[in-house]
Amino acid sequence: MAKAIDRTRETRARKLDWRKRMSDNIAYALLVYTGLQIFVTVHALKSGSASLLPYLALVVLVAAIIPACRMFEARWMKISDEAAADPALRSAYRRDQAYLWVLAIGLPFALTGLFKLIAATV
């Protein structure tokens, strides 16, 4: 009976891997980010903006998201195998997950809006 309980705990510990979960979140966030960025940039271009600012916004946004994602992933990839399965890291994981998704969803709108504001004042 004790062996069965130990195997169940080991199976759960193997399934819980904060590193893999963060890596998966980063992959999905990049897909969402890219889709939003394309949508927002195309919308800005269709709105009659004759300047190069929407294109500059696209370059800046691509350059901004890659280091941010690397930062999140590096933080989680350097933890040990034991720590990767530690349920006590749930709050830290959820915090980083929330920051990642706020960046992925908010950054395209915020920076494109900033560039549109700059274009309107120039």
Side-chain angles (χ1 to χ4, degrees), residues 9-20 75-90:
R9 285 182 185 155
E10 287 175 20
T11 302
R12 270 193 232 135
R14 276 185 272 158
K15 288 182 181 178
L16 178 62
D17 188 343
W18 298 120
R19 299 171 298 190
K20 181 175 178 356
R75 182 181 311 170
W76 287 94
M77 290 302 140
K78 67 182 176 184
I79 64 174
S80 68
D81 289 341
E82 290 174 0
D86 186 0
L89 290 175
R90 178 179 293 286

Side-chain angles (χ1 to χ4, degrees), residues 23 25 32 58 86 88 94 99 120:
S23 183
N25 267 268
V32 168
L58 186 62
D86 186 0
R94 292 290 183 204
Y99 288 152

Side-chain angles (χ1 to χ4, degrees), residues 4 6 8 12 22 36 38 40 42 48 56-57 60 67-68 72-74 79 85-86 89 94 101 106 110-111:
D6 287 342
T8 304
R12 270 193 232 135
M22 183 54 69
L36 281 173
I38 291 168
V40 171
V42 167
L56 181 61
V60 168
F72 282 112
E73 192 164 30
I79 64 174
D86 186 0
L89 290 175
R94 292 290 183 204
W101 282 100
L111 284 178

Side-chain angles (χ1 to χ4, degrees), residues 30-87:
L30 284 171
L31 287 172
V32 168
Y33 169 85
T34 302
L36 281 173
Q37 182 55 45
I38 291 168
F39 172 77
V40 171
T41 302
V42 167
H43 182 69
L45 291 172
K46 283 184 180 179
S47 69
S49 177
S51 73
L52 293 175
L53 285 173
Y55 297 106
L56 181 61
L58 186 62
V59 171
V60 168
L61 284 168
V62 169
I65 197 70
I66 293 169
C69 286
R70 281 189 177 173
M71 179 193 72
F72 282 112
E73 192 164 30
R75 182 181 311 170
W76 287 94
M77 290 302 140
K78 67 182 176 184
I79 64 174
S80 68
D81 289 341
E82 290 174 0
D86 186 0

